[in-house]
Amino acid sequence: TKRDLSEKSEQLDAVVAERDSLKDSNGSNRTDSLLVMPAPSMAKGSSRDESIQEILTSLSTHGDSIPEENGVHSSVVEEESSKDEKLQAAYAQIDELHSEVETLRTSLEQSSKALKAKTEDLEVAVEEYESVRDILYNTPDIDEQTIHFIVQQVIAFGGYDIDETEEIESVVSSSSSAEEDEEEDESRKQKNEQLSTFASAMFSTGKFLVDREQFQDSITCFETVLEVRREVYGWDDPLVGDALHMEGFVRSKMGDYDRALMLLWDALRIRKIASEPLKISATLRLLADLHFSKEENMHAALFYEECARHLKEHDMKDPHLPLVLIDLARTKDRLGDYCESMNFFEEALSIYERSLDYDDDRIASLQYEMGVLAFQMGDRDRGEECFRQFIRIRKSKGNNMDEGVANALFVLGSLHWATKKKDLAHESWVEALEIFEGLGRTADDPYVKSLKEKIRRAERRPIGRLFRG
């Protein structure tokens, strides 16, 4: 439509110019010819309101009444007739082109109205999704049916055709003037802002679904966000990196490791271009977690080490640093490198002790893991000390029925029995049995059966002592 309108407008301008030149030419020739005619003809042709046909008739009548002198008057009349025929043809062509131009302009107006209606729909949809998002965040519990309804609405609106929108824009942008170009730019800017707002709303909806572990439903949101942001901002914008990161995270949770790996690598590339330290470390940690889930421990260790190094360079107080060190220690434990594993555990513990309360549960959990590792390394004293710290912190919380405490007491009892401290072993086992039974473990439970057998063995008096008695 744009091309046709431009071509027809050019043709119309050319025909109008030709018509004007013919009129000017006719006026000039008529003046010359009228100079040799009598006054009645001049008077008759001097009125602008008279039609061209009347002027030609008067000229023809007068030409018949005056004898030709060397064919001058005859040639003038023939020339006038030829030009008037061209002028009539020009008028006809102008009418035809004018009709076509009007048709094209009507089509453009309809396209503009369609674009305006679509823009209004987009604005209304953005407002609706922002309202829905607020409702979701402020609602304590939402049933499964409501979530699926929201996702279906997202999918329904997310099916818009960007190519179709561009086609409408190309129709509206038919004018080549500077003013209309500026209006086009402003319209495109507003549309991009609206799409950006829509993508942000979709991103928030996807994160909400992730928090509720609705991973399959959230995939649609993040795919739509990625498509829109790439269209609006390009392929290397940080917002595109955020969308890639979240989709990669969700796909790794769903077990689609190959797709997740590709998305996370692309997210890491964009975030390194933008030099965003915290986001770079977050993507590195996701890549490490992915390899850890696939039991690719060497790759996982490399990514955890890179992530820890990155965090140390930019912010030693980052709360994620001790968590990354703990994950790195677990990976080293898998690889059988117990000394390095203990070193990373100790580094994480030192950070926790500087930043957390003395009785924080995170310190207790870390002490438990360090105790298990110490026993694996054969360091019984270190293992016993870690377990006692764990038991002390957990008991300080006032919860006497703690399965972790029971497990630690079970291990400590076995350690005391091995070191001939039978009274301490008996005490630890009895306390562990009380906790397990308080938690509802039945007599058939392996731990309960084992503890009862150990307690009976510890309560037996030695045969030698019986003879001496």
Side-chain angles (χ1 to χ4, degrees):
T1 307
K2 174 185 173 182
R3 184 171 58 253
D4 292 343
L5 179 59
S6 178
E7 291 176 356
K8 297 299 181 183
S9 298
E10 290 177 0
Q11 293 177 15
L12 181 59
D13 292 340
V15 173
V16 169
E18 183 180 355
R19 181 202 64 184
D20 293 341
S21 65
L22 287 172
K23 288 174 68 177
D24 293 341
S25 176
N26 279 347
S28 175
N29 291 336
R30 189 180 294 113
T31 302
D32 294 340
S33 62
L34 291 177
L35 289 175
V36 298
M37 293 178 184
S41 269
M42 183 176 293
K44 189 164 187 158
S46 61
S47 175
R48 291 187 178 182
D49 296 332
E50 288 183 5
S51 67
I52 296 174
Q53 189 62 38
E54 291 174 345
I55 295 172
L56 290 175
T57 303
S58 64
L59 289 175
S60 177
T61 304
H62 186 71
D64 292 338
S65 61
I66 299 176
E68 297 183 3
E69 296 179 5
N70 299 324
V72 174
H73 296 295
S74 176
S75 63
V76 169
V77 171
E78 290 177 358
E79 186 178 355
E80 287 293 331
S81 299
S82 175
K83 289 183 178 181
D84 287 331
E85 289 176 359
K86 292 180 180 179
L87 193 58
Q88 292 293 335
Y91 274 117
Q93 191 173 1
I94 287 171
D95 291 338
E96 181 182 354
L97 290 173
H98 181 72
S99 175
E100 293 180 3
V101 167
E102 287 300 322
T103 302
L104 292 173
R105 283 179 180 169
T106 302
S107 175
L108 285 177
E109 288 176 1
Q110 293 175 352
S111 299
S112 299
K113 289 179 180 178
L115 178 60
K116 184 178 179 181
K118 197 170 186 68
T119 302
E120 291 175 354
D121 291 341
L122 181 61
E123 291 174 353
V124 171
V126 169
E127 292 177 359
E128 289 178 355
Y129 278 111
E130 288 179 350
S131 175
V132 170
R133 181 188 61 183
D134 293 338
I135 293 172
L136 292 178
Y137 277 116
N138 295 327
T139 304
D141 192 17
I142 300 176
D143 58 18
E144 203 75 20
Q145 183 178 1
T146 304
I147 288 184
H148 283 293
F149 172 76
I150 294 169
V151 173
Q152 290 302 320
Q153 295 300 315
V154 168
I155 294 172
F157 188 78
Y160 66 91
D161 192 348
I162 294 179
D163 294 334
E164 179 183 349
T165 307
E166 288 178 350
E167 182 178 350
I168 295 174
E169 282 184 347
S170 67
V171 172
V172 175
S173 61
S174 59
S175 175
S176 59
S177 67
E179 266 182 46
E180 292 180 347
D181 287 343
E182 289 178 3
E183 289 177 0
E184 252 179 57
D185 293 339
E186 185 64 26
S187 175
R188 188 178 294 108
K189 182 179 178 182
Q190 291 178 356
K191 183 177 182 308
N192 287 343
E193 289 177 354
Q194 291 167 352
L195 286 174
S196 177
T197 304
F198 168 72
S200 299
M202 291 283 284
F203 190 81
S204 299
T205 304
K207 291 184 71 175
F208 171 80
L209 294 171
V210 168
D211 292 340
R212 293 183 60 86
E213 297 186 357
Q214 301 287 331
F215 298 122
Q216 184 64 49
D217 293 334
S218 69
I219 282 290
T220 303
C221 297
F222 293 125
E223 286 179 339
T224 303
V225 171
L226 183 60
E227 180 184 356
V228 172
R229 286 182 173 175
R230 276 176 170 170
E231 181 68 24
V232 175
Y233 302 111
W235 284 62
D236 295 335
D237 189 85
L239 291 174
V240 175
D242 294 344
L244 288 165
H245 177 90
M246 285 305 301
E247 186 180 346
F249 168 75
V250 172
R251 290 194 178 277
S252 66
K253 287 290 185 182
M254 295 171 61
D256 189 0
Y257 296 128
D258 293 336
R259 175 68 176 167
L261 192 64
M262 182 182 68
L263 292 167
L264 291 173
W265 270 111
D266 201 13
L268 181 63
R269 175 188 66 82
I270 293 173
R271 289 180 165 185
K272 285 191 172 183
I273 292 173
S275 298
E276 298 175 312
L278 294 178
K279 292 185 177 182
I280 290 172
S281 61
T283 304
L284 286 169
R285 188 180 177 191
L286 271 186
L287 285 165
D289 291 342
L290 189 151
H291 287 294
F292 188 86
S293 299
K294 295 176 69 177
E295 297 186 358
E296 297 173 352
N297 299 315
M298 288 296 297
H299 289 84
L302 290 174
F303 279 109
Y304 281 132
E305 287 175 349
E306 177 67 14
C307 181
R309 182 188 64 78
H310 200 78
L311 288 173
K312 289 176 184 178
E313 287 179 357
H314 293 90
D315 188 5
M316 280 293 295
K317 296 181 180 180
D318 191 291
H320 296 95
L321 178 56
L323 299 175
V324 173
L325 292 171
I326 291 170
D327 288 336
L328 179 56
R330 291 168 179 164
T331 307
K332 292 292 184 179
D333 185 10
R334 274 189 179 184
L335 292 169
D337 196 347
Y338 299 134
C339 291
E340 277 202 45
S341 176
M342 183 61 76
N343 290 336
F344 288 123
F345 274 136
E346 289 176 346
E347 188 177 356
L349 179 62
S350 66
I351 294 174
Y352 274 158
E353 290 175 342
R354 290 195 303 269
S355 59
L356 301 176
D357 293 334
Y358 186 63
D359 294 337
D360 193 281
D361 279 333
R362 284 168 285 185
I363 294 178
S365 299
L366 184 54
Q367 289 281 11
Y368 186 88
E369 288 196 66
M370 293 175 67
V372 173
L373 180 60
F375 282 122
Q376 288 179 343
M377 297 171 66
D379 190 350
R380 293 182 177 180
D381 293 337
R382 179 66 183 275
E384 181 180 357
E385 175 63 23
C386 290
F387 272 21
R388 290 198 180 280
Q389 289 293 332
F390 168 75
I391 293 170
R392 178 192 62 78
I393 294 173
R394 285 296 178 88
K395 284 185 175 181
S396 68
K397 302 298 181 181
N399 184 10
N400 296 324
M401 295 292 111
D402 190 317
E403 187 171 348
V405 172
N407 288 327
L409 288 169
F410 184 96
V411 175
L412 285 178
S414 300
L415 175 63
H416 293 320
W417 181 265
T419 55
K420 307 300 182 181
K421 300 175 183 178
K422 296 182 180 180
D423 292 338
L424 292 175
H426 180 268
E427 181 182 344
S428 298
W429 284 336
V430 168
E431 188 176 356
L433 180 61
E434 290 176 353
I435 294 174
F436 279 131
E437 288 179 340
L439 292 172
R441 297 282 185 100
T442 63
D444 296 334
D445 185 86
Y447 280 97
V448 173
K449 291 173 67 175
S450 177
L451 280 169
K452 287 182 177 180
E453 177 63 29
K454 290 178 181 295
I455 291 170
R456 281 195 297 269
R457 191 188 312 165
E459 289 176 346
R460 291 175 189 165
R461 296 183 66 185
I463 296 178
R465 185 180 299 177
L466 288 174
F467 286 131
R468 288 196 300 271

